[in-house]
Amino acid sequence: MMKKLCFTLSLLLMALALSGCGNTNGAGKSAANTTGSIPVILSQSEYLLYQNIFYNSYGPQYEGQSVTKRGVLAKIHDAFNDRERYYVWGYLDNTKCCDWQWEFVPKDEKSLPAIGSLIVVQGVFKADDNALDDYWITDAAVETESAYTGPQEDINMFAMSCTLERVQIMNIMYRYEAFEGKSFSAYGRIAGTDTLENPYYDGSWQIPFSSGSASPAIGTLVLLKGTVKSATLADCAMSVIQ
């Protein structure tokens, strides 16, 4: 469900990734900071480790290991399985077209910070058929490094990686009853008149939207905020992402 096209990295990066499952910085920091913008977290080693585990069958080598992951908090509503799924995620580099994301099961959902916050997740990496991609981080303790104070919607796709947004869009399109009337934020490229598509990849997904604003040129990256109606993004306020 999360298949995507990205370039192959060097053997040096592979060596960095294989040296540990989640050797990131930031563990143990306090929740003293706040931010009004979604943090941008870059990690080549996390990206390659993610690729190796989910696409190159390296998962069994890391099962049962304690891991620490630092990244942005996202939440997907999985209407196919009627559950909330939590992720800590980031990008490969500043192009933002290639990303990584680790699903985790928090010890206490109610104590999580706002979606879009910068967090540090510590838990045990395990295989599980209930995980969306067969592996997740269990018994996860979450520390907030920087709490997000910006706008929130019922479905905050602006705080998702490109890959996670694709998963949420598929839910909205094919299980739309579960999302009817919910507020959302979403980002992507203008694909044509009243059509939004994946921000970086052709042929990944497209979804209709309605807006009172004039549609910018095809290929323009935009942020939409509105309400889900019958598998479409309706009543959208639109802004161009620079």
Side-chain angles (χ1 to χ4, degrees):
M1 196 171 186
M2 289 191 177
K3 185 176 181 182
K4 61 189 298 187
L5 299 176
C6 284
F7 57 85
T8 302
L9 299 177
S10 68
L11 291 176
L12 175 60
L13 290 177
M14 183 176 289
L16 287 172
L18 295 180
S19 65
C21 187
N23 185 19
T24 57
N25 297 322
K29 292 189 177 181
S30 69
N33 297 324
T34 60
T35 178
S37 58
I38 306 296
V40 176
I41 303 302
L42 309 178
S43 177
Q44 293 178 329
S45 58
E46 284 287 0
Y47 174 76
L48 188 59
L49 183 61
Y50 168 78
Q51 291 289 311
N52 280 331
I53 285 176
F54 292 107
Y55 300 109
N56 297 323
S57 303
Y58 282 34
Q61 299 181 30
Y62 298 97
E63 188 174 355
Q65 289 191 20
S66 296
V67 298
T68 300
K69 303 294 181 185
R70 177 176 181 264
V72 179
L73 172 63
K75 181 177 73 172
I76 286 177
H77 179 61
D78 178 1
F80 290 92
N81 296 290
D82 191 26
R83 68 175 299 153
E84 307 299 324
R85 296 188 181 276
Y86 296 93
Y87 290 86
V88 54
W89 68 273
Y91 297 109
L92 165 65
D93 56 29
N94 275 315
T95 63
K96 299 181 181 179
C97 63
C98 295
D99 48 50
W100 48 266
Q101 41 271 311
W102 306 100
E103 185 177 1
F104 68 91
V105 182
K107 288 182 178 180
D108 182 7
E109 293 184 18
K110 294 181 179 179
S111 67
L112 292 173
I115 301 304
S117 296
L118 178 58
I119 61 171
V120 178
V121 175
Q122 294 178 316
V124 179
F125 189 73
K126 288 186 178 180
D128 194 316
D129 290 340
N130 291 314
L132 191 59
D133 288 306
D134 299 324
Y135 289 99
W136 57 14
I137 300 169
T138 63
D139 198 31
V142 178
E143 294 190 27
T144 305
E145 186 170 324
S146 183
Y148 178 63
T149 59
Q152 289 286 354
E153 291 74 36
D154 296 329
I155 310 164
N156 190 345
M157 288 182 279
F158 193 50
M160 295 180 188
S161 67
C162 171
T163 299
L164 295 177
E165 185 182 33
R166 176 183 181 274
V167 175
Q168 190 67 87
I169 289 289
M170 293 299 104
N171 272 266
I172 291 172
M173 293 177 67
Y174 296 107
R175 290 291 186 271
Y176 58 87
E177 299 92 346
F179 302 94
E180 190 70 17
K182 292 187 179 296
S183 63
F184 75 88
S185 62
Y187 67 105
R189 291 175 296 162
I190 297 296
T193 303
D194 298 333
T195 303
L196 189 73
E197 68 176 353
N198 188 298
Y200 306 112
Y201 297 104
D202 294 335
S204 171
W205 57 263
Q206 291 188 346
I207 189 168
F209 73 88
S210 62
S211 174
S213 302
S215 186
I218 290 175
T220 303
L221 188 64
V222 299
L223 168 64
L224 301 181
K225 293 185 178 184
T227 304
V228 178
K229 292 183 180 179
S230 301
T232 69
L233 307 180
D235 306 323
C236 295
M238 182 192 305
S239 56
V240 174
I241 298 175
Q242 302 297 331

